[in-house]
Amino acid sequence: MTYSDTTLVLPTLNEREALPILISAVLRRYDGIRILVVDDGSEDGTLSTLSRFSRNKRIGVIERKGLGRSPGLTASIIDGIMSSSTRFVIVMDSDMQHPPEKIREIRSALASGSQIAVGVRAGVRQWPIYRKLVSKLLGSIGHAVLLLSGKKTTGDIFSGFFGIERKLARGIILRNRERFVGDGYKFLFDLLKCIDAKDGIAISEVGYDFGNRRFGRSKAGARQAAALIRSFVT
């Protein structure tokens, strides 16, 4: 099976250790897949680790800082989607907490007729209790925001692991650019709030175990939480 109709977008910030391991794992599993690394200003030598893949023409890099772009995870994902040219785009984190073996199921769901396929976390073992409670509270608020406004929802509205038809994603972004909080980190939520339940867009779910962090450190903090609140009201 070939995956030449799929681009894997990897938004990246200081993932020197994990990124080459992830790319190698993806290349072993998925023949023909395109990979687009969207770096948001890494300062730990992340991009230099890609030199081992320099001969692979299916791997591209966007250096956002060099282009003068404002930083942000959502903004990085938008750049990746808008720069892709394949039928499908799959987005996942670069820190190995999203299992690369699940790319197959997400792409299969898209090829079978789903326009969006969301990776839904079965559980997060490593998080402390307070973070789980905050996540649950914010998730409840997010679901309420979507449901009360008649929007599409899913089992993990904040997932960073999902696939989508490229043309659909581009259309939604271009029509609703001002509703995406660029410096935020919940692109999927921003996307869902732009889709009415009556639009007939098919969304499927792929369950997965959210891995323990082995490399680097979490970027979540007060600034990201504030950005999420802005997403709720934008």
Side-chain angles (χ1 to χ4, degrees):
M1 178 184 294
T2 179
Y3 288 80
S4 58
D5 59 358
T6 303
T7 296
L8 180 66
V9 171
L10 300 176
T12 302
L13 178 62
N14 296 329
E15 299 291 355
R16 178 185 62 194
E17 296 173 290
L19 184 61
I21 297 174
L22 174 59
I23 290 177
S24 295
V26 170
L27 292 177
R28 284 197 306 270
R29 286 179 168 89
Y30 306 109
D31 180 53
I33 196 170
R34 297 179 182 274
I35 298 175
L36 182 55
V37 177
V38 187
D39 187 76
D40 203 24
S42 294
E43 298 178 344
D44 67 340
T46 291
L47 293 180
S48 65
T49 67
L50 299 180
S51 60
R52 72 186 72 176
F53 306 108
S54 60
R55 294 185 179 181
N56 193 319
K57 298 185 182 301
R58 292 188 175 273
I59 300 176
V61 178
I62 297 176
E63 297 184 50
R64 302 190 72 250
K65 188 174 182 179
L67 296 173
R69 306 286 176 83
S70 298
L73 177 56
T74 290
S76 296
I77 293 172
I78 289 174
D79 281 350
I81 291 174
M82 300 304 282
S83 299
S84 300
S85 58
T86 52
R87 180 183 176 189
F88 304 127
V89 176
I90 296 176
V91 177
M92 69 187 302
D93 291 347
S94 300
D95 58 10
M96 292 295 293
Q97 289 188 282
H98 295 152
E101 60 269 21
K102 289 292 182 174
I103 291 173
R104 186 183 314 276
E105 292 181 42
I106 289 179
R107 190 266 189 179
S108 177
L110 295 173
S112 298
S114 295
Q115 292 160 286
I116 303 173
V118 179
V120 177
R121 292 169 286 189
V124 184
R125 295 184 296 274
Q126 193 180 45
W127 284 3
I129 293 296
Y130 78 87
R131 187 172 177 186
K132 290 180 180 179
L133 291 174
V134 170
S135 178
K136 187 172 182 178
L137 173 61
L138 292 174
S140 296
I141 295 172
H143 274 288
V145 168
L146 293 174
L147 291 172
L148 290 173
S149 56
K151 304 300 181 181
K152 281 281 190 177
T153 187
T154 182
D156 193 346
I157 59 174
F158 298 147
S159 179
F161 189 20
F162 60 89
I164 189 168
E165 290 183 348
R166 178 183 60 87
K167 288 184 178 180
L168 173 64
R170 286 172 60 91
I172 293 172
I173 292 168
L174 290 173
R175 292 191 301 271
N176 302 275
R177 196 65 178 260
E178 73 286 350
R179 302 198 67 191
F180 286 83
V181 179
D183 62 336
Y185 69 131
K186 299 302 181 186
F187 172 90
L188 181 63
F189 178 81
D190 284 346
L191 182 83
L192 291 172
K193 72 188 184 187
C194 299
I195 302 174
D196 289 335
K198 62 184 179 182
D199 286 346
I201 292 175
I203 301 178
S204 62
E205 299 180 350
V206 173
Y208 74 97
D209 291 325
F210 191 68
N212 292 332
R213 177 177 287 277
R214 292 184 293 156
F215 308 100
R217 60 181 182 179
S218 173
K219 282 83 173 177
R223 185 174 65 84
Q224 287 75 23
L228 180 56
I229 298 301
R230 294 205 311 277
S231 282
F232 289 160
V233 299
T234 300

